[in-house]
Amino acid sequence: MEMTHPFDDAVALTSIEPGVYLGRTSAPYNNMVGPFGGVTAATLVRAVESHPDRHGDPLSITINFAGPIAEGEFQISTRATRTNRSNQHWYLEVSQNGEIATTATAVFGHRRDTWDDDEATPPDVPAPSELEQSGFPDFIAWARNYEMRFAAGALVEEEAADSTISLWVRDTPSRALDFAALTSMGDIFYPRVFQRRGKYVPAGTITLTIHFFATAEDVAAQADSYVLAHAHARRFHRGYFDQTAELWSSDEKLLATSHQLVYYKD
């Protein structure tokens, strides 16, 4: 019997009626409370990808984490709200026992040949081979599914002057990148307040938006190489902070950006 990758198990869905899918939380991707938000986001992308009416590849997704997802089964409902010539808009809900846990909107679409230019530049960091492998504490289960090599912002119990973090990351065991895995990596960063304060405080993502620049060809070319993940916050204020992030391919192409709002107590 062929073994599946733990990530594929975590985002696996069963169609129970048109547009409605059944999923199940995966212990290897548990966070401190509920599942890792990145894998929840990835499962929502997989739900749209699985829909027979889906057009194109992901362009953007916004996930609103209304409440924790409890261990066990959950249901995802998907609805295409409008389909245009080049893009398609979706509304999704994650529910358990009749209660909404997460809502999302997504845009999928077809890309066309146009004038291109890159204004963003990747951070100047050492190659993965020049950095030691490290990670998060063992009690953060989901992090054990990623190989991480930090150039800046490794998790230490010491206050930091800024919130910048840069790391090379890839799935472990090795797995070729796809849009679901790229989505999950958009939430790979531990809360920026941990870095600034040098300690663990209650914190959780309220809303996460990911914009995809990678084409299907870009994702295929990446294969199982390292992704360069870079993020920082801009303000910590009265219980909330933001985070802006970039995900770069191993050949310095901007694959995606992510933006989130996080609540915290301190």
Side-chain angles (χ1 to χ4, degrees):
M1 180 178 177
E2 185 179 355
M3 298 292 290
T4 57
H5 193 281
F7 182 80
D8 294 300
D9 290 338
V11 300
L13 295 170
T14 302
S15 177
I16 55 177
E17 61 182 82
V20 181
Y21 300 89
L22 189 67
R24 186 174 185 84
T25 57
S26 173
Y29 285 88
N30 281 348
N31 204 350
M32 289 180 282
V33 177
F36 168 44
V39 85
T40 299
T43 306
L44 289 165
V45 166
R46 182 56 52 84
V48 179
E49 288 181 322
S50 301
H51 200 289
D53 294 337
R54 181 258 294 187
H55 287 192
D57 295 320
L59 303 177
S60 179
I61 186 167
T62 295
I63 306 101
N64 300 309
F65 299 95
I69 297 174
E71 185 174 352
E73 292 184 340
F74 56 85
Q75 185 172 296
I76 299 178
S77 63
T78 66
R79 177 167 58 92
T81 59
R82 178 162 178 151
T83 300
N84 301 316
R85 292 177 64 182
S86 60
N87 54 64
Q88 186 179 50
H89 298 255
W90 292 84
Y91 178 73
L92 305 96
E93 291 181 345
V94 179
S95 60
Q96 282 185 315
N97 302 317
E99 186 174 26
I100 301 298
T102 304
T103 64
T105 56
V107 182
F108 276 57
H110 299 286
R111 298 181 184 270
R112 62 186 67 177
D113 291 333
T114 61
W115 173 84
D116 284 7
D117 187 41
D118 297 322
E119 291 196 7
T121 56
D124 184 13
V125 299
S129 59
E130 299 175 29
L131 299 168
E132 292 186 4
Q133 182 176 342
S134 58
F136 299 165
D138 285 344
F139 67 83
I140 304 177
W142 67 263
R144 296 196 293 268
N145 297 284
Y146 293 98
E147 179 187 338
M148 301 180 183
R149 297 177 182 266
F150 286 85
L155 184 56
V156 295
E157 294 185 20
E158 181 178 336
E159 289 193 18
D162 65 50
S163 61
T164 301
I165 180 173
S166 299
L167 70 150
W168 292 100
V169 60
R170 63 180 177 181
D171 288 285
T172 183
S174 177
R175 180 187 183 279
L177 192 70
D178 58 17
F179 283 111
L182 181 61
T183 302
S184 185
M185 290 179 183
D187 194 34
I188 199 73
F189 314 93
Y190 64 87
R192 303 292 78 231
V193 69
F194 291 6
Q195 182 170 334
R196 288 299 311 276
R197 302 292 288 136
K199 64 180 182 179
Y200 300 103
V201 300
T205 300
I206 299 295
T207 183
L208 166 66
T209 295
I210 299 173
H211 299 306
F212 301 88
F213 299 100
T215 63
E217 293 77 16
D218 292 331
V219 170
Q222 177 69 12
D224 62 352
S225 298
Y226 292 96
V227 169
L228 176 57
H230 177 76
H232 67 279
R234 287 170 292 194
R235 192 180 189 192
F236 301 83
H237 182 62
R238 303 193 65 155
Y240 296 91
F241 68 88
D242 69 326
Q243 177 185 281
T244 297
E246 299 171 347
L247 299 175
W248 294 85
S249 69
S250 52
D251 60 355
E252 300 189 342
K253 290 181 180 178
L254 184 60
L255 299 174
T257 59
S258 73
H259 313 270
Q260 60 181 267
L261 181 71
V262 184
Y263 98 94
Y264 68 98
K265 297 178 182 179
D266 190 8

